[in-house]
Amino acid sequence: DQFNLDDVDFVDIEHRAAVPVDDCDEDIEKRNALLEYWEGGNSSNGDYDANAMNKRWGRVDEDRLKIHFTDKQTLYLRFMVDLKEMEEKRKELADDPDLMHHIGTHTKLWCRCIANLRGAMNLKQHLPNFGDQGTEEMEDFIEICAREDESDHHNANKFRKSIHRRIGSFHLMMDNLTGTEN
């Protein structure tokens, strides 16, 4: 189905940190050769294994583009290209404190694109840095979520932090999720 961009009233990125796992070199992607639609992929052929795919997403930082509409419907999108990106740089991100490096490139791109097409006046969300085109603008769209949190409404079960507290809180969140301390 199609949707009308004029009906979008909220857009953000739900970010979930990777689940710590014993680092094995299992090549999940080769076992589940899934492609983007434009790469010739088609999930209607019966080859899609949801459990394997969720395991694959769980091993990396996962981002979901969340698009909310005026009719109270919400569309969630995950991008295979972001999954592949995060799998490739998983080890180098382990000690990287910059939250923006943990967010998928295409998720950020589509979020910014939709927000710019709609404009801050048409979105029902607080965007103090809208139009800055920098890290602060993008961070206004990030929603840190626990892996268990599968909220169905843009105001439910989430927390947002200001830019001044977000990066420090990212470390605390990682420590809480992994049960370790720096």
Side-chain angles (χ1 to χ4, degrees):
D1 281 343
Q2 298 178 352
F3 62 84
N4 187 341
L5 194 58
D6 291 336
D7 293 335
V8 174
D9 66 358
F10 185 95
V11 61
D12 79 355
I13 297 169
E14 288 188 351
H15 177 75
R16 290 168 173 78
V19 174
V21 293
D22 291 333
D23 205 18
C24 63
D25 289 328
E26 176 186 10
D27 192 344
I28 297 171
E29 184 173 354
K30 283 199 169 85
R31 193 167 43 96
N32 298 293
L34 297 172
L35 302 172
E36 296 278 10
Y37 178 79
W38 55 85
E39 295 175 315
N42 182 356
S43 65
S44 64
N45 63 9
D47 290 339
Y48 185 81
D49 182 350
N51 289 330
M53 201 59 183
N54 286 334
K55 180 179 177 184
R56 190 171 164 192
W57 276 107
R59 294 171 55 103
V60 299
D61 291 324
E62 174 188 356
D63 302 301
R64 297 178 188 182
L65 181 63
K66 181 168 60 173
I67 306 168
H68 187 267
F69 300 91
T70 56
D71 66 357
K72 309 295 184 223
Q73 298 289 324
T74 305
L75 174 65
Y76 294 90
L77 300 171
R78 295 189 299 191
F79 297 96
M80 288 294 298
V81 68
D82 284 344
L83 173 60
K84 292 173 184 178
E85 172 192 1
M86 291 298 130
E87 286 174 333
E88 288 174 9
K89 62 182 193 178
R90 183 175 54 139
K91 289 180 182 171
E92 69 188 63
L93 286 176
D95 296 323
D96 188 342
D98 188 343
L99 177 62
M100 287 295 101
H101 294 162
H102 292 262
I103 308 294
T105 301
H106 286 79
T107 304
K108 289 186 286 193
L109 176 73
W110 280 102
C111 181
R112 181 174 274 155
C113 180
I114 292 169
N116 285 329
L117 287 171
R118 287 297 291 142
M121 298 301 289
N122 296 311
L123 297 173
K124 295 179 179 166
Q125 60 196 105
H126 183 62
L127 300 170
N129 299 298
F130 189 82
D132 292 348
Q133 300 297 317
T135 300
E136 290 82 13
E137 177 192 37
M138 198 69 245
E139 287 182 347
D140 288 343
F141 292 99
I142 307 298
E143 177 181 335
I144 306 293
C145 299
R147 282 276 170 187
E148 310 80 52
D149 181 17
E150 301 290 340
S151 65
D152 61 348
H153 188 270
H154 64 271
N155 288 324
N157 299 319
K158 69 179 181 180
F159 64 94
R160 292 187 181 270
K161 298 196 180 269
S162 71
I163 179 65
H164 305 298
R165 297 183 311 222
R166 186 172 289 137
I167 300 302
S169 297
F170 182 69
H171 283 296
L172 289 173
M173 179 193 68
M174 292 300 293
D175 291 344
N176 289 336
L177 289 174
T178 62
T180 61
E181 285 187 51
N182 286 338

